[in-house]
Amino acid sequence: MKINISRFLYFLIYLEKISAISLDYTLYSQLSKELKDDMDTNDVLPSSVLNYFKLTKDSLKEFDSYLYFAENDRIRLKNLSQEMFSFGYDNYMNHAYPMDELDPIHCCGRGPDHLRPDNINVNDALGDYLLTLVDSLTTLVVMGNSSEFKQASKLVIENLNFDKNSTVQVFEATIRVMGSLLSSHLITIDPNQPFGDMKISNYNNEFLNLAHDLAVRLISAFNNDYNIFPYPRINLKMGIPTNSFNHTCTSGAGSLILEFGTLSYLLNDPIYEKVARIVSEAIFLKKHPTTGLVGNELNIKTGNWQGLMSGLGAGIDSYLEYLLKGFVLFGNKKDLYMFNEIKKSVKRYLRHG
């Protein structure tokens, strides 16, 4: 399996800078030069990826009237974003840690709603596994806060445990917890340390081991006797819940390839990428024969669409996102083909606002 972590990171940095360009197109040349300077000449993204969105100084001029703001405003808002993150993070650590998140009304921590197992609005995300702290690790890196990243990493390594009687959504646990653990592992072991000194003393692959532990629990969702589509939720200790729903949203089933694939690469174990890719491709094959669009909900027992509504919003969005990012990360041309085919259908059949 091919994977190019540095290429993927540069792609994300490129998209981040494109966002800045769309707000101030006069920065285009400067930011493009910075991107090229940051890249090793032997590891430049293929032009087909860099030019995919065809964003140039000229093509962005039409958005001037409502997207442009001055450089001093950009810097002010950047600093405000850092202040907002620090405010939320510090208050979580002071009032909610080690619970999953801060209840802003009562200024205390909260975790899964064990008294109401059907309260999926809370229980899908909160698994009694230090969620906010784990989820914040890579944001600390982006903010350049090396000292707090190392302190937070120490707390996660010493205290995170997945042997919990918590029923969580596979999708949420994958993108927020496993994704952060894998990213933190890659950032920590990177010899180039592109985000500053984020090396952890005496690090022994603890982030990777935790991600593997979680994946072993999540992969039980694929133990479906009826179909290849995974159950939407699993109990971290006992596997598939006895009262599990028999339907899953398209994003929930089809947005696992980045984390599962990266784990397969790091462990040299193909099973995780294999199960995620089979589902991703199966969803594509179920697109409507006329419109080429996918629905927003699947019945995991029949394999048929249960939600016939299509679109680019919740329930579908990240499936399309992961097809494109999967191509960038793994170089699998089938991912790009599937993305392009659905994109053509979206442009043809979905209303333009």
Side-chain angles (χ1 to χ4, degrees):
M1 181 180 72
K2 295 194 304 180
I3 187 173
N4 194 323
I5 298 297
S6 60
R7 173 177 291 179
F8 187 61
L9 288 173
Y10 283 130
F11 176 71
L12 295 182
I13 293 170
Y14 179 78
L15 290 185
E16 179 185 16
K17 293 185 176 184
I18 282 296
S19 297
I21 295 164
S22 67
L23 296 174
D24 184 352
Y25 71 81
T26 60
L27 297 176
Y28 180 79
S29 299
Q30 173 188 346
L31 293 176
S32 295
K33 181 179 184 302
E34 290 176 3
L35 178 65
K36 291 177 181 178
D37 291 343
D38 288 342
M39 287 185 178
D40 182 89
T41 54
N42 296 321
D43 193 38
V44 177
L45 286 169
S47 59
S48 60
V49 174
L50 283 176
N51 297 326
Y52 186 83
F53 297 100
K54 297 182 174 63
L55 295 179
T56 66
K57 181 168 65 175
D58 291 333
S59 69
L60 290 166
K61 283 184 177 179
E62 62 180 290
F63 303 112
D64 281 1
S65 60
Y66 55 92
L67 284 180
Y68 174 84
F69 56 81
E71 174 69 0
N72 61 329
D73 284 334
R74 188 185 71 83
I75 295 174
R76 177 179 61 81
L77 292 171
K78 172 186 173 183
N79 293 335
L80 180 60
S81 297
Q82 290 179 315
E83 292 175 15
M84 291 170 64
F85 169 75
S86 297
F87 178 80
Y89 177 82
D90 292 345
N91 279 286
Y92 164 76
M93 294 303 296
N94 291 332
H95 301 290
Y97 174 83
M99 301 189 76
D100 283 316
E101 67 180 15
L102 174 66
D103 177 347
I105 303 300
H106 303 97
C107 200
C108 62
R110 69 177 178 184
D113 187 352
H114 291 298
L115 296 179
R116 294 191 298 159
D118 60 341
N119 185 7
I120 59 176
N121 288 332
V122 170
N123 293 331
D124 272 0
L126 309 188
D128 193 18
Y129 43 27
L130 314 179
L131 178 62
T132 297
L133 183 63
V134 175
D135 207 5
S136 297
L137 288 173
T138 49
T139 308
L140 289 167
V141 172
V142 171
M143 297 295 175
N145 194 336
S146 173
S147 60
E148 189 60 32
F149 171 74
K150 294 176 181 179
Q151 176 61 26
S153 297
K154 183 174 184 292
L155 290 173
V156 170
I157 289 171
E158 292 178 352
N159 297 291
L160 183 57
N161 173 24
F162 294 117
D163 194 28
K164 301 292 181 69
N165 184 23
S166 300
T167 298
V168 297
Q169 190 186 63
V170 175
F171 171 70
E172 288 285 343
T174 298
I175 66 171
R176 296 184 64 180
V177 182
M178 192 195 306
S180 186
L181 292 170
L182 291 171
S183 297
S184 298
H185 170 73
L186 292 167
I187 289 167
T188 300
I189 66 172
D190 191 331
N192 297 319
Q193 290 294 291
F195 303 102
D197 179 18
M198 301 294 169
K199 287 187 176 180
I200 302 171
S201 299
N202 302 315
Y203 180 70
N204 191 29
N205 295 332
E206 287 91 347
F207 285 139
L208 178 60
N209 294 335
L210 285 166
H212 188 196
D213 181 11
L214 177 58
V216 169
R217 301 169 192 271
L218 296 179
I219 205 171
S220 65
F222 292 86
N223 293 333
N224 184 352
D225 295 333
Y226 303 93
N227 217 295
I228 62 174
F229 298 111
Y231 284 89
R233 297 169 182 85
I234 59 100
N235 183 283
L236 291 172
K237 181 175 284 189
M238 295 176 283
I240 300 171
T242 56
N243 59 343
S244 176
F245 289 108
N246 292 322
H247 53 86
T248 182
C249 69
T250 304
S251 290
S255 305
L256 307 173
I257 188 63
L258 295 181
E259 293 81 8
F260 275 48
T262 299
L263 184 66
S264 280
Y265 163 76
L266 293 171
L267 297 177
N268 195 27
D269 181 353
I271 186 61
Y272 299 100
E273 183 191 17
K274 181 178 180 180
V275 296
R277 189 168 293 285
I278 286 174
V279 172
S280 178
E281 294 176 4
I283 291 173
F284 176 76
L285 293 176
K286 287 192 170 293
K287 66 187 190 302
H288 193 276
T290 301
T291 66
L293 297 171
V294 296
N296 64 356
E297 193 172 69
L298 283 156
N299 185 301
I300 63 171
K301 289 193 173 181
T302 66
N304 297 326
W305 292 114
Q306 186 163 312
L308 301 180
M309 182 178 294
S310 190
L312 295 174
I316 298 177
D317 51 353
S318 61
Y319 171 63
L320 304 178
E321 169 196 344
Y322 269 47
L323 289 178
L324 181 57
K325 289 182 177 178
F327 162 68
V328 175
L329 182 57
F330 301 113
N332 190 312
K333 292 183 179 178
K334 181 177 280 189
D335 290 334
L336 183 61
Y337 168 76
M338 293 189 291
F339 174 83
N340 279 330
E341 288 298 300
I342 297 178
K343 187 186 80 167
K344 286 190 291 186
S345 296
V346 165
K347 294 178 72 173
R348 181 174 181 182
Y349 291 104
L350 292 185
R351 190 182 75 171
H352 293 265

